[in-house]
Amino acid sequence: QVQLVQSGAEVVKPGASVKVACKASGYNFNSFVIYWVRQAPGERLEWMGWIHAGNGDTEFSAIFQKRMTITTDTSATTVYMQLNGLRSEDSAVYYCARDGRRFRENWLDTWGQGTLVTVSS
Amino acid sequence: DIHMTQSPSSVSASVGDRVNITCRASQPITIWLAWYQQRPGKSPKVLIYPGPHLQSGVPSRFIGSGSGTDFTLTIDSVQPEDFATYFCQQAHSFPLTFGQGTRLDLK
């Protein structure tokens, strides 16, 4: 079955970077877009960006564009999200999720289990 | 950005009740809306995708309706496993945006 498995929780210091992995399985990795979405305590879900795993196309929210990168390792069917210059308000659960269709329809049919990132000195 | 507003923010219901959750977009999004369920400590799960269509494996008591700016998720005969938080998401344009969530709890 389609599955996304994320790397474990991280505690990082303010100003540092975090890199979260999302391992995909159960489908043709190269055919789908992967999104990154975060959920801070008490806040609504926030879309961060996406990557097409096959051709590497990306798009980012303007909020994150300057300090976020998304990359893929196609041989490992893994997507990576790196966020730089972390501050306390970046403490959240970060999710990867797959688009529901091959030809990107912008809805999310399979989600990873989430990665808790805590920014603390 | 398209702002999504859900109402109510929380609703109490008994097993067997019908529940309606609404989602309003700040500008027209035609059919491009999805609904998700999130149980505590779990990832969101898609219920309804743009059309609206029922996602495979989701019980038929979940019904999506609406187009343009106003949408409704109806749970027809709430079951114990349905007590959770529900989110809408517009899939019309970037940045993708979500509603603030509606918590469904047991009356």
Side-chain angles (χ1 to χ4, degrees):
Chain A
Q1 75 282 18
V2 176
Q3 200 171 5
L4 300 175
V5 178
Q6 297 182 224
S7 50
E10 302 262 11
V11 179
V12 296
K13 294 190 184 306
S17 299
V18 71
K19 191 171 186 177
V20 180
C22 173
K23 165 75 174 174
S25 61
Y27 71 96
N28 186 345
F29 178 75
N30 291 328
S31 294
F32 286 83
V33 161
I34 293 289
Y35 299 89
W36 288 91
V37 175
R38 76 178 185 181
Q39 188 172 35
E43 300 290 330
R44 65 181 69 196
L45 291 158
E46 184 174 31
W47 172 74
M48 302 176 70
W50 61 262
I51 188 165
H52 190 286
N55 62 24
D57 285 350
T58 56
E59 184 168 354
F60 300 97
S61 167
I63 298 170
F64 300 103
Q65 182 146 19
K66 292 184 178 180
R67 60 188 187 109
M68 179 180 179
T69 56
I70 307 176
T71 56
T72 63
D73 179 345
T74 54
S75 63
T77 65
T78 300
V79 178
Y80 300 93
M81 185 281 296
Q82 180 167 322
L83 191 62
N84 305 318
L86 290 166
R87 29 200 189 245
S88 59
E89 52 266 39
D90 292 316
S91 295
V93 177
Y94 289 75
Y95 293 102
C96 61
R98 193 192 77 161
D99 195 283
R101 289 289 182 265
R102 286 187 173 191
F103 300 105
R104 186 167 62 79
E105 288 193 347
N106 303 333
W107 56 277
L108 289 59
D109 78 336
T110 302
W111 295 62
Q113 82 276 21
T115 296
L116 176 63
V117 174
T118 304
V119 182
S120 173
S121 54
Chain B
D1 297 4
I2 299 174
H3 188 73
M4 308 301 292
T5 303
Q6 287 181 234
S7 61
S9 295
S10 65
V11 58
S12 297
S14 301
V15 173
D17 284 354
R18 171 180 285 192
V19 169
N20 289 308
I21 299 169
T22 64
C23 181
R24 174 164 288 176
S26 62
Q27 61 192 72
I29 58 171
T30 62
I31 64 165
W32 294 100
L33 187 99
W35 288 98
Y36 302 87
Q37 176 194 67
Q38 187 176 32
R39 297 190 175 103
K42 300 295 186 183
S43 306
K45 167 190 168 185
V46 67
L47 303 173
I48 304 289
Y49 62 91
H53 301 290
L54 186 69
Q55 173 71 339
S56 175
V58 174
S60 58
R61 63 180 178 273
F62 291 95
I63 302 163
S65 62
S67 65
T69 59
D70 294 310
F71 300 83
T72 302
L73 174 69
T74 299
I75 309 174
D76 197 12
S77 187
V78 170
Q79 298 302 299
E81 60 268 29
D82 300 339
F83 294 104
T85 299
Y86 294 85
F87 298 93
C88 60
Q89 176 238 321
Q90 64 84 10
H92 181 270
S93 57
F94 290 99
L96 306 182
T97 47
F98 294 81
Q100 80 277 20
T102 296
R103 191 181 74 237
L104 171 61
D105 56 32
L106 183 62
K107 186 183 291 182

